[in-house]
Amino acid sequence: MSKKIGVDLGGTYLRVGIVENNKVTKYIKKQTPRNQKDLVEEMAKSISECMSKDVIGIGVASPGPLKDGIIYNTPNLPFKNFNLKRFLQNRFKKRVEIKNDAHCVAIAESKLGCRKRNFIVITLGTGVGGGIIIDGKLYEGEGYAGEIGHIVLDGGKYLETLWQLNRKELQATFGTNFLKDIFCKKDERAKKLIEEICVYLGQALGSVVNIFDPEVIILMGEIRETRNKLIRMLNKEMRKYTIIPTVPKIKWSKLDHPGILGASLLID
């Protein structure tokens, strides 16, 4: 049975795992270094800890924009026009495939998760990513489609910019685990920030629904810790901006390690 290595390269955490039979059998999680040299070496070290002769390839899920293994000037990683594919191929002499991280999550959802034919994935982490599945296939446009985080909202700000501002304020005010128990806090500022998040996410989700008419919208990221209370708020807010008669439900991804799984599926 083939063994693969999946890498989920996030702005906050670097995750690496061995994937066998579509299951993660070894998992490494480290904070993402803030400069390019340390990051590529930390990634190579983690991959080495998972490497063996029977590994058939390395799949990497990375924030974009990227194409042909080259990561361009992504805002949440210390890379600028860096050919990560060539670096990893030269280091490990294995097949390497690299794709947008939210696209990898969408692939994992399509094959192992929700298994719908038409749906949207939105990842909410350090940044905001998007993956679009149409007729069972990943839609990439000319190579860069799915940058849902860069939908322009009121005031000319990107969805991702608004998300990051609120996320940082919540984290600074209530600590690093704010998402896990935010709804348990009897705090008016926390309530206001969550309401602001729901307004601009609702606007973006409504726009996505109006354009793509998906069966479902899958959310992924640390925000999943808020569970169903936030989902109910988002469903209600999204309806205000949806003009088509069929309004899909918003659901959390049920997959563990979807970035690693999706990256491993790049190696067939």
Side-chain angles (χ1 to χ4, degrees):
M1 192 173 293
S2 61
K3 184 186 293 186
K4 310 167 191 178
I5 292 176
V7 179
D8 184 358
L9 179 52
T12 303
Y13 293 108
L14 167 67
R15 301 173 175 89
V16 180
I18 297 173
V19 180
E20 300 177 81
N21 195 29
N22 293 328
K23 293 183 179 179
V24 177
T25 58
K26 180 174 181 176
Y27 177 65
I28 298 170
K29 177 181 175 182
K30 300 177 180 178
Q31 284 200 317
T32 303
R34 305 320 303 167
N35 67 76
Q36 179 177 301
K37 181 180 177 181
D38 290 346
L39 175 51
V40 294
E41 288 305 322
E42 192 65 68
M43 188 190 314
K45 180 182 177 183
S46 297
I47 292 172
S48 295
E49 292 176 28
C50 296
M51 186 56 68
S52 60
K53 289 183 178 180
D54 55 344
V55 168
I56 64 170
I58 302 165
V60 181
S62 169
L66 61 88
K67 194 172 184 181
D68 300 325
I70 300 171
I71 302 177
Y72 297 104
N73 193 22
T74 182
N76 299 311
L77 290 175
F79 288 139
K80 188 172 183 179
N81 302 325
F82 181 70
N83 195 327
L84 181 60
K85 182 173 183 176
R86 183 169 61 192
F87 168 82
L88 293 175
Q89 284 177 333
N90 289 341
R91 177 68 69 96
F92 295 103
K93 312 302 180 187
K94 298 281 187 179
R95 179 185 169 192
V96 175
E97 298 294 340
I98 302 176
K99 197 174 284 292
N100 177 283
D101 52 355
H103 292 189
C104 287
V105 173
I107 291 169
E109 284 292 335
S110 178
K111 296 183 181 299
L112 306 173
C114 73
R115 301 176 189 263
K116 301 291 187 182
R117 291 191 61 77
N118 296 285
F119 66 94
I120 308 291
V121 164
I122 298 178
T123 58
L124 296 161
T126 306
V128 178
I132 304 164
I133 300 292
I134 298 176
D135 224 10
K137 298 178 182 178
L138 179 70
Y139 176 73
E140 296 182 276
E142 295 300 307
Y144 303 102
E147 292 290 344
I148 290 171
H150 288 84
I151 290 175
V152 179
L153 298 173
D154 290 343
K157 291 183 178 178
Y158 290 133
L159 168 63
E160 179 170 282
T161 301
L162 293 167
W163 162 252
Q164 289 175 331
L165 288 171
N166 282 87
R167 181 179 179 273
K168 285 178 181 177
E169 186 166 353
L170 282 167
Q171 198 167 29
T173 306
F174 304 107
T176 56
N177 293 321
F178 69 92
L179 287 166
K180 194 168 187 178
D181 60 354
I182 191 68
F183 286 103
C184 298
K185 298 179 183 295
K186 305 292 184 181
D187 187 284
E188 284 301 313
R189 183 58 186 148
K191 181 181 177 183
K192 184 178 178 183
L193 286 168
I194 288 294
E195 287 173 350
E196 287 177 9
I197 287 172
C198 288
V199 167
Y200 62 71
L201 278 176
Q203 291 174 347
L205 291 170
S207 297
V208 167
V209 169
N210 292 334
I211 295 168
F212 293 103
D213 188 19
E215 295 175 74
V216 66
I217 294 175
I218 303 292
L219 294 186
M220 185 61 214
E222 60 187 356
I223 199 170
R224 184 166 59 169
E225 296 286 354
T226 59
R227 302 301 176 188
N228 291 330
K229 283 190 176 181
L230 186 65
I231 286 288
R232 287 194 292 270
M233 293 174 70
L234 285 175
N235 273 307
K236 182 179 179 180
E237 197 67 31
M238 179 182 70
R239 287 177 178 272
K240 296 179 183 179
Y241 304 98
T242 304
I243 63 169
I244 63 175
T246 55
V247 182
K249 288 186 176 181
I250 305 169
K251 297 182 179 180
W252 297 122
S253 172
K254 294 182 179 180
L255 292 175
D256 292 324
H257 315 305
I260 288 176
L261 289 172
S264 75
L265 289 169
L266 302 177
I267 308 295
D268 49 24

